[in-house]
Amino acid sequence: MYDIVVVGAGTAGLSAAIYAKRAGKNVLVLEGESYGGQIINTPDIENYPGIAHISGFDFATGLYNQATALGAEVKFEAVREIKAEGKEKKVITDSGEYDTKTIILATGAKNRKLGVDGEKELTGHGVSYCATCDGMFYKGKDVAVVGGGNTALEDASFLAGYCNKVYIIHRRDEFRGDIKEVERLKVNKNVEFVMNAVVTELKSEDNKLSAITVHDKVTNGDREIAVAGLFVAVGQVPDNNRFSAFVDLDEKGYIVSDETLTTRTPGVFTAGDCRTKKVRQLVTAASDGAAAALAAFDYINANW
Ligand code: NAP
């Protein structure tokens, strides 16, 4: 039996594993995709205290290596459900079952879809959710980024480096992301800001994206923009329904918890972007992981 099973190998989950191992507990981390979570695709992190610049890949790999060097076990299996009625809990994946004293749910969040017709069919054929993964396919071409948060701003800066032209399309007249990122983007001569605008149509030729229609909310006019790529960066949504028998979810689907990282089920904790919180940043994900591991440590010592 494990002391702690962590669901998710993003920043919160791996930070939890590091703290749990250092507290002397045996830990299994289960991850359905690759380690690192959302941060792995960020080209340059500049706001993690103590580290002026680091790529998301290097940061995530550092976390992974630190956790595994301390003895945390990591298995790449997708978690289907948990059973947490009694003191002994079970985590069921697509290929195994694991008994544990405690569970830390650190499932992060997934990319929100734009919700425009054809989005699904054109994903991988012009529509992408990851500029650092797919950007190079659009070298020298015209592309658009939709969204107004830090991800959209960073994606647009990244793409401006080698695409012919980058349109950044945002539904309001003000960005949600950091002013520093906006200022950085403004110096790029090949970036056009398309504000107060929403993408209403995707056009394709030979099953590849060829243009988008953008509706201007102020003038009420429509504009067609020829682009080979559309990078969707309109935020994230959680994916916690499979745990709802044991944890409360808020109206948006985030796991209800406060700074104690506890859920309604004793022995089930949560950490990172998957929980109800105001600030979703790398530093708060790492902080949640530490706090959840120490809460699990206290729980085990009090109950086993
Ligand atoms: P976000 O901050 O939630 O921003 C999502 C953006 O998409 C918002 O501007 C939102 O518009 C827009 N949007 C949402 N739904 C839309 C729709 N259906 N159609 C058109 N636009 C839509 O998401 P994010 O940029 O992915 O960032 C997530 C978190 O990670 C944030 O806390 C962010 O600061 C953080 N982050 C940090 C860094 C970094 O520090 N280096 C890098 C990336 C992300 P409104 O503004 O009108 O709501």
Side-chain angles (χ1 to χ4, degrees), residues 38-39 42-48 111-116 146-155 169-178 181 197-199 217 232-236 254 273 278-282 284:
Q38 295 167 52
I39 202 63
T42 297
D44 187 21
I45 301 163
E46 291 184 343
N47 58 2
Y48 197 85
N111 294 317
R112 177 182 285 125
K113 303 288 180 282
L114 198 53
V116 179
V146 58
N150 279 328
T151 303
L153 293 166
E154 288 184 6
D155 284 358
I169 300 160
H170 181 37
R171 64 184 179 183
R172 291 189 290 133
D173 61 356
E174 234 174 50
F175 284 102
R176 179 177 291 273
D178 296 348
E181 293 296 338
V198 289
V199 177
K217 290 161 71 183
V232 179
V234 295
Q236 277 83 39
Y254 292 100
D273 282 7
K278 185 160 163 51
V279 180
R280 291 193 171 85
Q281 292 285 311
L282 200 54
T284 60

Short mmCIF file of all heavy atoms in Angstrom, two decimals, residues 38-39 42-48 111-116 146-155 169-178 181 197-199 217 232-236 254 273 278-282 284, ligand 1:
data_model
loop_
_atom_site.label_atom_id
_atom_site.label_comp_id
_atom_site.label_asym_id
_atom_site.label_seq_id
_atom_site.Cartn_x
_atom_site.Cartn_y
_atom_site.Cartn_z
N GLN A 38 0.79 21.84 -18.02
CA GLN A 38 0.69 22.95 -18.98
C GLN A 38 2.01 23.70 -19.19
O GLN A 38 2.27 24.20 -20.27
CB GLN A 38 -0.31 23.98 -18.48
CG GLN A 38 -1.73 23.51 -18.39
CD GLN A 38 -2.57 24.47 -17.59
OE1 GLN A 38 -2.58 25.66 -17.86
NE2 GLN A 38 -3.24 23.98 -16.57
N ILE A 39 2.85 23.76 -18.15
CA ILE A 39 4.03 24.63 -18.24
C ILE A 39 5.05 24.11 -19.24
O ILE A 39 5.87 24.88 -19.76
CB ILE A 39 4.66 24.82 -16.83
CG1 ILE A 39 5.52 26.10 -16.80
CG2 ILE A 39 5.48 23.63 -16.39
CD1 ILE A 39 4.76 27.38 -17.01
N THR A 42 5.60 26.20 -22.34
CA THR A 42 5.90 27.63 -22.23
C THR A 42 7.36 27.86 -22.63
O THR A 42 8.25 27.24 -22.07
CB THR A 42 5.67 28.11 -20.77
OG1 THR A 42 4.29 27.94 -20.48
CG2 THR A 42 6.04 29.57 -20.61
N PRO A 43 7.61 28.74 -23.61
CA PRO A 43 9.00 28.91 -24.07
C PRO A 43 9.92 29.49 -23.00
O PRO A 43 11.07 29.07 -22.88
CB PRO A 43 8.88 29.86 -25.26
CG PRO A 43 7.46 30.20 -25.43
CD PRO A 43 6.64 29.51 -24.40
N ASP A 44 9.42 30.47 -22.24
CA ASP A 44 10.31 31.15 -21.30
C ASP A 44 9.52 31.56 -20.05
O ASP A 44 8.59 32.36 -20.15
CB ASP A 44 10.91 32.40 -21.99
CG ASP A 44 11.96 33.08 -21.13
OD1 ASP A 44 12.51 32.41 -20.23
OD2 ASP A 44 12.23 34.27 -21.37
N ILE A 45 9.90 31.01 -18.91
CA ILE A 45 9.26 31.40 -17.64
C ILE A 45 10.10 32.51 -17.02
O ILE A 45 11.31 32.36 -16.87
CB ILE A 45 9.20 30.19 -16.67
CG1 ILE A 45 8.43 29.03 -17.30
CG2 ILE A 45 8.61 30.59 -15.33
CD1 ILE A 45 8.67 27.69 -16.61
N GLU A 46 9.45 33.61 -16.68
CA GLU A 46 10.21 34.75 -16.13
C GLU A 46 9.70 35.16 -14.76
O GLU A 46 10.14 36.18 -14.23
CB GLU A 46 10.04 35.97 -17.06
CG GLU A 46 10.70 35.85 -18.38
CD GLU A 46 10.56 37.14 -19.18
OE1 GLU A 46 9.69 37.97 -18.85
OE2 GLU A 46 11.33 37.30 -20.13
N ASN A 47 8.70 34.44 -14.25
CA ASN A 47 8.08 34.93 -13.01
C ASN A 47 8.12 33.92 -11.87
O ASN A 47 7.33 34.00 -10.94
CB ASN A 47 6.63 35.37 -13.28
CG ASN A 47 5.78 34.25 -13.85
OD1 ASN A 47 6.27 33.13 -14.01
ND2 ASN A 47 4.54 34.53 -14.15
N TYR A 48 9.03 32.96 -11.96
CA TYR A 48 9.17 32.03 -10.84
C TYR A 48 10.26 32.58 -9.93
O TYR A 48 11.40 32.77 -10.37
CB TYR A 48 9.54 30.63 -11.34
CG TYR A 48 9.30 29.57 -10.29
CD1 TYR A 48 8.04 29.01 -10.14
CD2 TYR A 48 10.32 29.19 -9.42
CE1 TYR A 48 7.80 28.06 -9.16
CE2 TYR A 48 10.08 28.24 -8.44
CZ TYR A 48 8.82 27.69 -8.32
OH TYR A 48 8.59 26.76 -7.34
N ASN A 111 -7.06 22.49 -22.26
CA ASN A 111 -7.32 23.65 -23.11
C ASN A 111 -8.81 23.80 -23.41
O ASN A 111 -9.46 22.84 -23.83
CB ASN A 111 -6.59 23.50 -24.45
CG ASN A 111 -5.10 23.53 -24.26
OD1 ASN A 111 -4.59 24.34 -23.49
ND2 ASN A 111 -4.40 22.65 -24.94
N ARG A 112 -9.32 25.02 -23.23
CA ARG A 112 -10.72 25.29 -23.59
C ARG A 112 -10.82 25.39 -25.12
O ARG A 112 -9.93 25.94 -25.77
CB ARG A 112 -11.17 26.60 -22.96
CG ARG A 112 -12.60 26.98 -23.35
CD ARG A 112 -13.02 28.30 -22.76
NE ARG A 112 -13.31 28.18 -21.35
CZ ARG A 112 -12.74 28.92 -20.39
NH1 ARG A 112 -11.86 29.84 -20.69
NH2 ARG A 112 -13.05 28.74 -19.12
N LYS A 113 -11.88 24.83 -25.66
CA LYS A 113 -12.10 24.91 -27.11
C LYS A 113 -12.77 26.25 -27.42
O LYS A 113 -13.47 26.82 -26.59
CB LYS A 113 -13.01 23.75 -27.58
CG LYS A 113 -12.45 22.36 -27.22
CD LYS A 113 -11.25 22.02 -28.06
CE LYS A 113 -10.66 20.65 -27.76
NZ LYS A 113 -9.85 20.59 -26.54
N LEU A 114 -12.57 26.69 -28.67
CA LEU A 114 -13.15 27.96 -29.09
C LEU A 114 -14.66 27.83 -29.30
O LEU A 114 -15.42 28.76 -29.05
CB LEU A 114 -12.47 28.37 -30.40
CG LEU A 114 -12.56 29.80 -30.85
CD1 LEU A 114 -12.12 30.76 -29.76
CD2 LEU A 114 -11.69 29.98 -32.10
N GLY A 115 -15.08 26.65 -29.74
CA GLY A 115 -16.51 26.41 -29.94
C GLY A 115 -17.03 26.88 -31.30
O GLY A 115 -18.20 27.22 -31.43
N VAL A 116 -16.15 26.91 -32.30
CA VAL A 116 -16.56 27.33 -33.65
C VAL A 116 -16.68 26.08 -34.53
O VAL A 116 -15.87 25.15 -34.40
CB VAL A 116 -15.51 28.31 -34.25
CG1 VAL A 116 -15.90 28.75 -35.66
CG2 VAL A 116 -15.36 29.53 -33.35
N VAL A 146 -5.82 33.42 -30.91
CA VAL A 146 -7.03 33.97 -30.29
C VAL A 146 -6.95 33.79 -28.78
O VAL A 146 -6.58 32.73 -28.29
CB VAL A 146 -8.32 33.37 -30.92
CG1 VAL A 146 -8.37 31.86 -30.80
CG2 VAL A 146 -9.56 33.97 -30.30
N GLY A 147 -7.26 34.89 -28.06
CA GLY A 147 -7.20 34.87 -26.59
C GLY A 147 -6.55 36.14 -26.09
O GLY A 147 -5.87 36.84 -26.84
N GLY A 148 -6.73 36.42 -24.81
CA GLY A 148 -6.19 37.67 -24.26
C GLY A 148 -5.41 37.47 -22.98
O GLY A 148 -5.06 38.44 -22.30
N GLY A 149 -5.10 36.23 -22.65
CA GLY A 149 -4.33 35.96 -21.42
C GLY A 149 -2.84 35.85 -21.71
O GLY A 149 -2.39 36.07 -22.84
N ASN A 150 -2.08 35.48 -20.71
CA ASN A 150 -0.63 35.37 -20.88
C ASN A 150 -0.25 34.31 -21.93
O ASN A 150 0.73 34.48 -22.65
CB ASN A 150 0.05 35.04 -19.55
CG ASN A 150 0.24 36.28 -18.71
OD1 ASN A 150 0.43 37.37 -19.24
ND2 ASN A 150 0.18 36.13 -17.40
N THR A 151 -1.02 33.25 -22.00
CA THR A 151 -0.69 32.21 -22.97
C THR A 151 -0.79 32.77 -24.39
O THR A 151 0.13 32.59 -25.21
CB THR A 151 -1.63 30.99 -22.81
OG1 THR A 151 -1.51 30.52 -21.47
CG2 THR A 151 -1.28 29.88 -23.77
N ALA A 152 -1.88 33.49 -24.68
CA ALA A 152 -2.06 34.05 -26.03
C ALA A 152 -0.95 35.07 -26.32
O ALA A 152 -0.38 35.06 -27.43
CB ALA A 152 -3.43 34.72 -26.13
N LEU A 153 -0.62 35.90 -25.35
CA LEU A 153 0.40 36.93 -25.56
C LEU A 153 1.77 36.29 -25.81
O LEU A 153 2.51 36.68 -26.72
CB LEU A 153 0.46 37.87 -24.36
CG LEU A 153 -0.79 38.74 -24.16
CD1 LEU A 153 -0.78 39.37 -22.76
CD2 LEU A 153 -0.88 39.82 -25.22
N GLU A 154 2.08 35.29 -25.01
CA GLU A 154 3.38 34.61 -25.19
C GLU A 154 3.42 33.83 -26.50
O GLU A 154 4.45 33.81 -27.18
CB GLU A 154 3.65 33.68 -24.00
CG GLU A 154 3.97 34.46 -22.74
CD GLU A 154 4.33 33.55 -21.57
OE1 GLU A 154 4.45 32.33 -21.77
OE2 GLU A 154 4.49 34.08 -20.47
N ASP A 155 2.31 33.20 -26.83
CA ASP A 155 2.25 32.46 -28.10
C ASP A 155 2.48 33.41 -29.27
O ASP A 155 3.22 33.10 -30.21
CB ASP A 155 0.88 31.78 -28.28
CG ASP A 155 0.73 30.54 -27.42
OD1 ASP A 155 1.69 30.19 -26.72
OD2 ASP A 155 -0.36 29.94 -27.44
N ILE A 169 -6.14 38.08 -31.75
CA ILE A 169 -7.56 38.40 -31.74
C ILE A 169 -8.10 38.23 -30.33
O ILE A 169 -7.99 37.15 -29.73
CB ILE A 169 -8.32 37.45 -32.71
CG1 ILE A 169 -7.76 37.62 -34.13
CG2 ILE A 169 -9.83 37.71 -32.68
CD1 ILE A 169 -8.06 36.46 -35.04
N HIS A 170 -8.66 39.32 -29.78
CA HIS A 170 -9.17 39.25 -28.41
C HIS A 170 -10.57 39.84 -28.35
O HIS A 170 -10.86 40.85 -29.01
CB HIS A 170 -8.21 39.98 -27.47
CG HIS A 170 -8.64 39.93 -26.04
ND1 HIS A 170 -9.24 38.82 -25.47
CD2 HIS A 170 -8.57 40.85 -25.05
CE1 HIS A 170 -9.51 39.06 -24.21
NE2 HIS A 170 -9.13 40.30 -23.92
N ARG A 171 -11.41 39.26 -27.52
CA ARG A 171 -12.82 39.65 -27.51
C ARG A 171 -13.10 40.97 -26.78
O ARG A 171 -14.23 41.45 -26.82
CB ARG A 171 -13.66 38.53 -26.91
CG ARG A 171 -13.37 38.22 -25.46
CD ARG A 171 -14.19 37.02 -25.02
NE ARG A 171 -13.92 36.66 -23.63
CZ ARG A 171 -14.46 35.62 -23.03
NH1 ARG A 171 -15.28 34.83 -23.69
NH2 ARG A 171 -14.18 35.35 -21.77
N ARG A 172 -12.10 41.50 -26.09
CA ARG A 172 -12.30 42.79 -25.39
C ARG A 172 -11.28 43.81 -25.89
O ARG A 172 -10.44 43.51 -26.73
CB ARG A 172 -12.10 42.59 -23.89
CG ARG A 172 -13.19 41.77 -23.24
CD ARG A 172 -13.07 41.80 -21.75
NE ARG A 172 -11.93 41.06 -21.24
CZ ARG A 172 -11.09 41.52 -20.32
NH1 ARG A 172 -11.23 42.74 -19.84
NH2 ARG A 172 -10.09 40.79 -19.88
N ASP A 173 -11.33 45.04 -25.33
CA ASP A 173 -10.35 46.05 -25.75
C ASP A 173 -9.15 46.09 -24.81
O ASP A 173 -8.26 46.92 -24.97
CB ASP A 173 -11.00 47.44 -25.87
CG ASP A 173 -11.58 47.93 -24.56
OD1 ASP A 173 -11.53 47.16 -23.57
OD2 ASP A 173 -12.07 49.06 -24.53
N GLU A 174 -9.13 45.22 -23.83
CA GLU A 174 -8.02 45.17 -22.87
C GLU A 174 -7.60 43.72 -22.67
O GLU A 174 -8.45 42.84 -22.59
CB GLU A 174 -8.54 45.66 -21.51
CG GLU A 174 -7.74 46.78 -20.93
CD GLU A 174 -8.40 47.29 -19.66
OE1 GLU A 174 -8.72 46.45 -18.79
OE2 GLU A 174 -8.61 48.50 -19.57
N PHE A 175 -6.29 43.51 -22.58
CA PHE A 175 -5.83 42.13 -22.37
C PHE A 175 -5.93 41.73 -20.90
O PHE A 175 -5.81 42.58 -20.01
CB PHE A 175 -4.38 41.99 -22.84
CG PHE A 175 -4.27 41.94 -24.33
CD1 PHE A 175 -3.87 43.06 -25.05
CD2 PHE A 175 -4.60 40.78 -25.02
CE1 PHE A 175 -3.78 43.01 -26.43
CE2 PHE A 175 -4.51 40.73 -26.40
CZ PHE A 175 -4.11 41.85 -27.11
N ARG A 176 -6.14 40.47 -20.69
CA ARG A 176 -6.14 39.91 -19.33
C ARG A 176 -4.70 39.66 -18.86
O ARG A 176 -4.41 39.75 -17.68
CB ARG A 176 -6.92 38.59 -19.34
CG ARG A 176 -7.00 37.89 -18.02
CD ARG A 176 -7.86 36.65 -18.15
NE ARG A 176 -9.25 36.99 -18.37
CZ ARG A 176 -10.13 37.23 -17.42
NH1 ARG A 176 -9.77 37.14 -16.16
NH2 ARG A 176 -11.38 37.54 -17.71
N GLY A 177 -3.83 39.36 -19.81
CA GLY A 177 -2.45 39.01 -19.47
C GLY A 177 -1.63 40.22 -19.02
O GLY A 177 -2.09 41.37 -19.05
N ASP A 178 -0.38 39.93 -18.63
CA ASP A 178 0.49 40.97 -18.05
C ASP A 178 0.80 42.09 -19.04
O ASP A 178 1.11 41.82 -20.21
CB ASP A 178 1.83 40.35 -17.62
CG ASP A 178 1.65 39.33 -16.52
OD1 ASP A 178 0.54 39.28 -15.94
OD2 ASP A 178 2.61 38.58 -16.24
N GLU A 181 3.95 41.72 -21.09
CA GLU A 181 3.85 40.88 -22.30
C GLU A 181 3.21 41.66 -23.44
O GLU A 181 3.58 41.51 -24.61
CB GLU A 181 3.03 39.62 -22.01
CG GLU A 181 3.67 38.64 -21.05
CD GLU A 181 4.97 38.05 -21.58
OE1 GLU A 181 5.18 38.04 -22.80
OE2 GLU A 181 5.79 37.61 -20.75
N ALA A 197 -13.01 41.56 -30.87
CA ALA A 197 -13.37 40.73 -32.03
C ALA A 197 -13.43 39.25 -31.65
O ALA A 197 -12.69 38.80 -30.77
CB ALA A 197 -12.33 40.93 -33.13
N VAL A 198 -14.33 38.56 -32.30
CA VAL A 198 -14.45 37.11 -32.06
C VAL A 198 -14.37 36.34 -33.38
O VAL A 198 -14.86 36.82 -34.40
CB VAL A 198 -15.77 36.75 -31.33
CG1 VAL A 198 -15.74 37.20 -29.88
CG2 VAL A 198 -16.98 37.31 -32.03
N VAL A 199 -13.77 35.18 -33.31
CA VAL A 199 -13.69 34.32 -34.50
C VAL A 199 -15.04 33.61 -34.65
O VAL A 199 -15.50 32.95 -33.72
CB VAL A 199 -12.55 33.28 -34.35
CG1 VAL A 199 -12.52 32.33 -35.55
CG2 VAL A 199 -11.21 33.98 -34.19
N LYS A 217 -17.04 43.44 -32.68
CA LYS A 217 -18.18 43.67 -31.80
C LYS A 217 -18.57 45.15 -31.71
O LYS A 217 -19.66 45.49 -31.29
CB LYS A 217 -17.87 43.14 -30.39
CG LYS A 217 -17.81 41.62 -30.36
CD LYS A 217 -17.07 41.08 -29.15
CE LYS A 217 -17.82 41.26 -27.87
NZ LYS A 217 -17.03 40.78 -26.72
N VAL A 232 -5.31 28.56 -30.70
CA VAL A 232 -6.38 28.85 -29.74
C VAL A 232 -5.79 28.86 -28.33
O VAL A 232 -5.21 27.87 -27.88
CB VAL A 232 -7.50 27.78 -29.85
CG1 VAL A 232 -8.61 28.06 -28.85
CG2 VAL A 232 -8.05 27.73 -31.27
N ALA A 233 -5.89 30.02 -27.65
CA ALA A 233 -5.35 30.15 -26.29
C ALA A 233 -6.38 30.89 -25.44
O ALA A 233 -6.16 32.01 -25.00
CB ALA A 233 -4.02 30.90 -26.34
N VAL A 234 -7.54 30.25 -25.28
CA VAL A 234 -8.65 30.92 -24.59
C VAL A 234 -8.88 30.34 -23.19
O VAL A 234 -10.00 30.30 -22.69
CB VAL A 234 -9.95 30.87 -25.44
CG1 VAL A 234 -9.78 31.67 -26.71
CG2 VAL A 234 -10.38 29.44 -25.75
N GLY A 235 -7.81 29.91 -22.56
CA GLY A 235 -7.91 29.47 -21.17
C GLY A 235 -8.08 27.97 -21.04
O GLY A 235 -7.98 27.21 -22.02
N GLN A 236 -8.30 27.56 -19.81
CA GLN A 236 -8.38 26.13 -19.51
C GLN A 236 -9.70 25.78 -18.83
O GLN A 236 -10.35 26.65 -18.26
CB GLN A 236 -7.24 25.73 -18.56
CG GLN A 236 -5.93 25.47 -19.26
CD GLN A 236 -5.17 26.73 -19.52
OE1 GLN A 236 -5.16 27.63 -18.69
NE2 GLN A 236 -4.54 26.82 -20.68
N TYR A 254 -14.24 22.96 -10.81
CA TYR A 254 -13.00 22.88 -10.02
C TYR A 254 -13.30 22.23 -8.66
O TYR A 254 -14.40 22.38 -8.12
CB TYR A 254 -12.41 24.29 -9.80
CG TYR A 254 -11.89 24.92 -11.06
CD1 TYR A 254 -12.65 25.86 -11.76
CD2 TYR A 254 -10.65 24.55 -11.58
CE1 TYR A 254 -12.18 26.42 -12.94
CE2 TYR A 254 -10.18 25.11 -12.76
CZ TYR A 254 -10.94 26.05 -13.43
OH TYR A 254 -10.47 26.60 -14.60
N ASP A 273 -3.99 23.80 -10.29
CA ASP A 273 -5.01 24.46 -11.11
C ASP A 273 -6.36 23.77 -11.09
O ASP A 273 -7.36 24.36 -11.51
CB ASP A 273 -4.54 24.53 -12.57
CG ASP A 273 -3.53 25.63 -12.79
OD1 ASP A 273 -3.10 26.24 -11.79
OD2 ASP A 273 -3.15 25.89 -13.95
N LYS A 278 -8.08 31.62 -6.81
CA LYS A 278 -8.09 32.85 -7.61
C LYS A 278 -6.86 32.94 -8.51
O LYS A 278 -6.96 33.26 -9.68
CB LYS A 278 -8.16 34.06 -6.68
CG LYS A 278 -8.30 35.37 -7.40
CD LYS A 278 -8.85 36.44 -6.47
CE LYS A 278 -8.64 37.85 -6.98
NZ LYS A 278 -9.06 38.09 -8.33
N VAL A 279 -5.71 32.64 -7.95
CA VAL A 279 -4.46 32.84 -8.71
C VAL A 279 -3.93 31.49 -9.17
O VAL A 279 -3.52 30.66 -8.35
CB VAL A 279 -3.40 33.57 -7.86
CG1 VAL A 279 -2.12 33.77 -8.67
CG2 VAL A 279 -3.94 34.90 -7.37
N ARG A 280 -3.95 31.26 -10.49
CA ARG A 280 -3.40 30.01 -11.05
C ARG A 280 -2.08 30.33 -11.72
O ARG A 280 -2.04 30.76 -12.87
CB ARG A 280 -4.39 29.37 -12.03
CG ARG A 280 -5.62 28.83 -11.34
CD ARG A 280 -6.46 27.91 -12.20
NE ARG A 280 -7.49 27.30 -11.37
CZ ARG A 280 -8.66 27.86 -11.08
NH1 ARG A 280 -8.98 29.02 -11.60
NH2 ARG A 280 -9.52 27.26 -10.28
N GLN A 281 -1.01 30.17 -11.01
CA GLN A 281 0.33 30.45 -11.49
C GLN A 281 1.23 29.28 -11.13
O GLN A 281 0.89 28.47 -10.26
CB GLN A 281 0.87 31.73 -10.83
CG GLN A 281 0.15 32.99 -11.25
CD GLN A 281 0.53 33.46 -12.64
OE1 GLN A 281 1.71 33.55 -12.96
NE2 GLN A 281 -0.45 33.74 -13.47
N LEU A 282 2.41 29.25 -11.76
CA LEU A 282 3.37 28.19 -11.48
C LEU A 282 3.70 28.15 -9.98
O LEU A 282 3.74 27.09 -9.35
CB LEU A 282 4.63 28.50 -12.28
CG LEU A 282 5.60 27.38 -12.55
CD1 LEU A 282 4.89 26.22 -13.20
CD2 LEU A 282 6.71 27.91 -13.46
N THR A 284 1.99 29.19 -7.45
CA THR A 284 0.91 28.74 -6.56
C THR A 284 0.65 27.24 -6.74
O THR A 284 0.23 26.57 -5.81
CB THR A 284 -0.40 29.55 -6.79
OG1 THR A 284 -0.84 29.38 -8.14
CG2 THR A 284 -0.20 31.02 -6.47
P1 NAP B 1 -6.62 32.98 -19.09
O1 NAP B 1 -5.74 33.87 -18.32
O2 NAP B 1 -7.84 32.39 -18.43
O3 NAP B 1 -7.11 33.80 -20.37
C1 NAP B 1 -8.01 33.26 -21.28
C2 NAP B 1 -8.30 34.33 -22.31
O4 NAP B 1 -9.15 33.79 -23.30
C3 NAP B 1 -9.00 35.55 -21.72
O5 NAP B 1 -8.45 36.71 -22.25
C4 NAP B 1 -10.43 35.36 -22.16
O6 NAP B 1 -11.09 36.57 -22.43
C5 NAP B 1 -10.29 34.60 -23.44
N1 NAP B 1 -11.42 33.73 -23.72
C6 NAP B 1 -11.99 32.81 -22.88
N2 NAP B 1 -12.97 32.15 -23.50
C7 NAP B 1 -13.02 32.65 -24.76
C8 NAP B 1 -13.83 32.37 -25.88
N3 NAP B 1 -14.76 31.41 -25.86
N4 NAP B 1 -13.61 33.07 -27.02
C9 NAP B 1 -12.65 34.02 -27.08
N5 NAP B 1 -11.85 34.34 -26.03
C10 NAP B 1 -12.03 33.65 -24.90
O7 NAP B 1 -5.86 31.72 -19.74
P2 NAP B 1 -4.31 31.52 -20.10
O8 NAP B 1 -3.81 32.65 -20.89
O9 NAP B 1 -4.21 30.16 -20.66
O10 NAP B 1 -3.60 31.53 -18.70
C11 NAP B 1 -4.03 30.63 -17.66
C12 NAP B 1 -3.26 30.95 -16.38
O11 NAP B 1 -1.89 30.63 -16.56
C13 NAP B 1 -3.32 32.43 -16.03
O12 NAP B 1 -3.33 32.57 -14.65
C14 NAP B 1 -2.04 32.95 -16.60
O13 NAP B 1 -1.57 34.13 -15.96
C15 NAP B 1 -1.12 31.79 -16.37
N6 NAP B 1 0.00 31.83 -17.31
C16 NAP B 1 1.15 32.35 -16.88
C17 NAP B 1 2.24 32.41 -17.72
C18 NAP B 1 3.48 32.99 -17.20
O14 NAP B 1 3.42 33.57 -16.13
N7 NAP B 1 4.61 32.89 -17.90
C19 NAP B 1 2.15 31.94 -19.03
C20 NAP B 1 0.95 31.41 -19.46
C21 NAP B 1 -0.13 31.38 -18.58
P3 NAP B 1 -11.47 37.61 -21.24
O15 NAP B 1 -10.18 38.25 -20.85
O16 NAP B 1 -12.43 38.51 -21.91
O17 NAP B 1 -12.10 36.76 -20.17
#
